[in-house]
Amino acid sequence: MTDDAPITVAREAGVAVVTLNRPQTRNAFTPELTEAFAEVFPALRDDASLSAVVLTAAPGTFSAGGDMRLLAEPSTDVRRHAAAGETMHAWFRAYLDIPVPVIAAVDGPAFGGGFGLALGADFLLASERARFCTVFPRIGLVAGLGTAWLLPRIVGLAAARDLLLTGRIIGAEEALAMGLVREVVAGDALGERALRMAGHFRHASRGALAGTKELLRQAAGAPFDAAAAREIDLQARALASPDHHAAARELLQTRRVAFDWGRLEEETGKE
């Protein structure tokens, strides 16, 4: 995509940096932006060259979620609204199905659907300028874009009730305290921190990470026997993979594991 596209994607060393590129609208979900989501997220899901994805936006922004100009247009056509929801969830599911770690770097408001995007990442980094709000109860809507499914799994049911029913705005430090955010980083260092974190995953097995992400998505709702059966299948495939064989040989020969998060943090420096 070009530099003036609604979403830009830059790839380097196996990491795709996805930047929401409409700061003038606070990256609201305009038709232009949602069409770009529908193009970008399936492409990332299917890109076998990637080891990680960073989702970010222009400094001081993330996403305001729904386009209020469209939401304010009166329509009683329930079928039309449902069809629009199906279209939105198609690209959102592609986003959730990206098989490598997704790191969201939030440097501004993540509201409504933008909050859903942040929740859908595997790791959420925030600057001190980040703010989070479900928005939906403020404008008479049911929690949308997967937030009622994702949020309790991240922060617990009580905290999810609080945020989803009150629609109150929380800052980065409160989000960190409730476990929503992994780290709070100075705004001018946020992008670098996200890239450094993404770079660690070049040492990891893509297949193993993809399988683990699938199991995590299914774990909360699946009966144990079904979850165990899927785990057995995915683990058998991982045990038969070249990535596992190479890692096992390295451990035997050098006493070093192929993917050691602590060692990588020491080598690169967390900050």
Side-chain angles (χ1 to χ4, degrees):
M1 288 186 164
T2 61
D3 289 343
D4 63 349
I7 299 175
T8 65
V9 181
R11 291 174 171 84
E12 183 175 353
V15 176
V17 179
V18 181
T19 304
L20 309 183
N21 195 34
R22 286 295 180 266
Q24 65 272 25
T25 64
R26 298 185 300 163
N27 296 308
F29 287 7
T30 62
E32 178 192 37
L33 192 63
T34 56
E35 287 174 11
F37 285 144
E39 176 183 348
V40 168
F41 290 146
L44 294 171
R45 177 196 61 198
D46 298 337
D47 188 343
S49 72
L50 295 180
S51 58
V53 172
V54 173
L55 177 66
T56 188
T61 69
F62 191 70
S63 174
D67 183 351
M68 290 307 302
R69 293 172 302 176
L70 295 178
L71 293 173
E73 294 177 0
S75 172
T76 58
D77 189 341
V78 174
R79 290 185 178 180
R80 181 173 74 85
H81 293 312
E86 293 284 351
T87 299
M88 183 169 292
H89 269 273
W91 59 252
F92 189 63
R93 179 56 189 262
Y95 170 62
L96 296 179
D97 285 346
I98 293 172
V100 297
V102 177
I103 302 162
V106 178
D107 189 31
F111 283 15
F115 188 28
L117 285 178
L119 292 175
D122 299 295
F123 301 95
L124 207 170
L125 307 181
S127 78
E128 67 280 2
R129 295 185 290 193
R131 293 182 295 148
F132 303 92
C133 180
T134 62
V135 170
F136 303 109
R138 293 180 171 220
I139 54 175
L141 292 178
V142 170
L145 205 66
T147 54
W149 191 90
L150 289 164
L151 191 56
R153 288 162 171 78
I154 298 170
V155 300
L157 186 57
R161 281 197 184 108
D162 176 6
L163 298 182
L164 290 169
L165 296 177
T166 68
R168 67 186 183 87
I169 298 170
I170 64 171
E173 291 297 336
E174 184 174 357
L176 178 67
M178 68 171 54
L180 176 64
V181 166
R182 187 178 192 270
E183 295 176 26
V184 177
V185 184
D188 58 359
L190 182 63
E192 180 184 352
R193 174 65 183 138
L195 284 171
R196 186 183 303 121
M197 188 175 181
H200 290 345
F201 290 103
R202 69 185 181 277
H203 297 278
S205 164
R206 176 186 168 96
L209 293 177
T212 299
K213 287 186 63 168
E214 180 180 336
L215 291 174
L216 285 168
R217 282 199 304 274
Q218 295 177 350
F224 179 77
D225 288 348
R230 187 57 178 148
E231 175 196 307
I232 290 165
D233 176 57
L234 290 169
Q235 189 72 297
R237 295 172 187 270
L239 286 165
S241 70
D243 284 344
H244 167 65
H245 297 159
R249 285 195 302 270
E250 180 174 348
L251 180 59
L252 281 174
Q253 294 168 4
T254 69
R255 300 297 179 184
R256 287 163 64 94
V257 296
F259 180 54
D260 183 340
W261 186 266
R263 172 168 53 82
L264 291 166
E265 287 286 81
E266 291 173 4
E267 290 175 355
T268 63
K270 183 174 179 179
E271 301 298 331

